Amino acid sequence: MRIVVTGGSGDLGGRVVRVLRARGHEAVSASRRSGVDLSTGAGLEAVLDGADAVVHAAGSYVKPQSVDVAGARRIGESLSRLGSAAHVVSISIVGADLTHYPLYRAKVDSETALEVAGVPATIVRATQFHPVAALVGGAPRVGPVAFRLGDMRIQPVDIDWVAERLADHVTGPTPSGFTRATDLAGPTAYDLSTISALIAAHDGRKPPRMVRVPPIGGVMRGFSEGNNLPRPDVETGGKTFEEWLDAQPRPLPRAMHTAI
Ligand SMILES: NC(=O)c1ccc[n+]([C@@H]2O[C@H](COP(=O)([O-])OP(=O)(O)OC[C@H]3O[C@@H](n4cnc5c(N)ncnc54)[C@H](OP(=O)(O)O)[C@@H]3O)[C@@H](O)[C@H]2O)c1
């Protein structure tokens, strides 16, 4: 199959490209680095021409409305103009509809954009990737003290496994319309004190003293109450946070905490 992967130069999309190629497919990366800009539409229709399927894994944490959302809308419009029935598999975030955090709102908007476009589409929502868990659980530290947001827990997921599951969906049967796949999450949920202690142990430091910051406002309260956690019917798999951490450099590079 010829499969276009938006954001094929990114953390997730790059893995999807490698998995698809290893399975014998022609995977074509579409991002600014290869001349495709989802925020303007430049180069998009040309790369989609002749595609059997699309994985929409491009995203911007800074401008999600112009990349994630406008990108989804433009993919749908381009496929319709081309008369293509290509299956679009798009990555989203577990609990995106439960919180008003701008990135999460954008993920819901990008789901809706594909639904409105009327193309065969599968939305795959995943929990936070392991580096995000490291960021949320490990970064806010002042000397021996670290801060945790309310009672927030996180069930992070292995990016490699998410890439495999996206590849499974995009090479599987094409749905007749808009669908949502079973959500994806890693095997274990952690409170932020545990994540912080695991990172400290990995780095060979004493675990910090955790101070609970009370959630202020709806967004923080939502995270504290577990809006980011999967429901019981989730599909779990991939490496645990401990297994991922074990494979990282020691100490965990600061860039790892701030990458996303
Ligand atoms: N991180 C998480 O915990 C998590 C959890 C669930 C879902 N997700 C979703 O997973 C997706 C991928 O995340 P990631 O961590 O792989 O992100 P990433 O590493 O930051 O990659 C983003 C990709 O988007 C491309 N891109 C950015 N602006 C673009 C534009 N204007 N036009 C075309 N391409 C553009 C980038 O390539 P160029 O720079 O070459 O344009 C890059 O390939 C995102 O949609 C994110 O919301 C993330």
Side-chain angles (χ1 to χ4, degrees):
M1 290 172 74
R2 181 174 186 277
I3 302 167
V4 172
V5 181
T6 71
S9 57
D11 278 344
L12 177 63
R15 286 167 165 85
V16 174
V17 166
R18 287 193 289 279
V19 170
L20 288 170
R21 286 182 183 160
R23 295 186 190 182
H25 298 284
E26 184 193 346
V28 181
S29 174
S31 79
R32 289 168 300 181
R33 238 163 288 181
S34 57
V36 176
D37 190 338
L38 291 174
S39 65
T40 62
L44 182 62
E45 204 151 312
V47 78
L48 290 177
D49 197 1
D52 298 304
V54 180
V55 176
H56 182 31
S60 167
Y61 299 94
V62 184
K63 294 182 175 170
Q65 285 291 339
S66 64
V67 180
D68 308 47
V69 184
R73 196 186 67 239
R74 289 195 164 98
I75 290 167
E77 289 168 352
S78 294
L79 291 175
S80 299
R81 273 195 299 272
L82 290 165
S84 164
H87 177 197
V88 182
V89 173
S90 186
I91 183 74
S92 187
I93 304 178
V94 165
D97 47 339
L98 299 178
T99 169
H100 290 298
Y101 191 51
L103 173 65
Y104 284 40
R105 261 207 317 261
K107 299 315 284 189
V108 174
D109 291 347
S110 65
E111 296 177 3
T112 307
L114 286 172
E115 185 169 14
V116 168
V119 294
T122 302
I123 304 300
V124 184
R125 291 184 177 182
T127 55
Q128 289 69 40
F129 302 156
H130 287 138
V132 172
L135 170 69
V136 176
R141 230 187 124 120
V142 179
V145 174
F147 301 95
R148 65 181 168 89
L149 171 63
D151 303 312
M152 184 178 179
R153 292 190 307 141
I154 194 162
Q155 190 164 336
V157 68
D158 179 11
I159 313 181
D160 287 304
W161 181 67
V162 174
E164 294 277 355
R165 294 298 291 123
L166 292 180
D168 294 341
H169 282 295
V170 80
T171 56
T174 299
S176 55
F178 179 84
T179 50
R180 257 213 35 215
T182 305
D183 293 352
L184 304 178
T188 314
Y190 305 84
D191 59 43
L192 298 188
S193 303
T194 304
I195 298 264
S196 195
L198 286 168
I199 294 172
H202 176 83
D203 291 357
R205 290 185 279 113
K206 278 200 334 200
R209 188 165 66 79
M210 297 300 291
V211 173
R212 181 182 187 276
V213 178
I216 302 160
V219 171
M220 283 191 177
R221 258 202 312 279
F223 282 124
S224 179
E225 288 165 4
N227 284 353
N228 60 306
L229 292 172
R231 306 298 121 189
D233 60 350
V234 67
E235 179 185 352
T236 57
K239 287 182 183 156
T240 63
F241 183 74
E242 290 93 326
E243 287 167 333
W244 171 80
L245 193 56
D246 204 37
Q248 305 309 311
R250 293 169 202 269
L252 193 62
R254 270 208 67 73
M256 192 65 88
H257 297 272
T258 53
I260 296 178

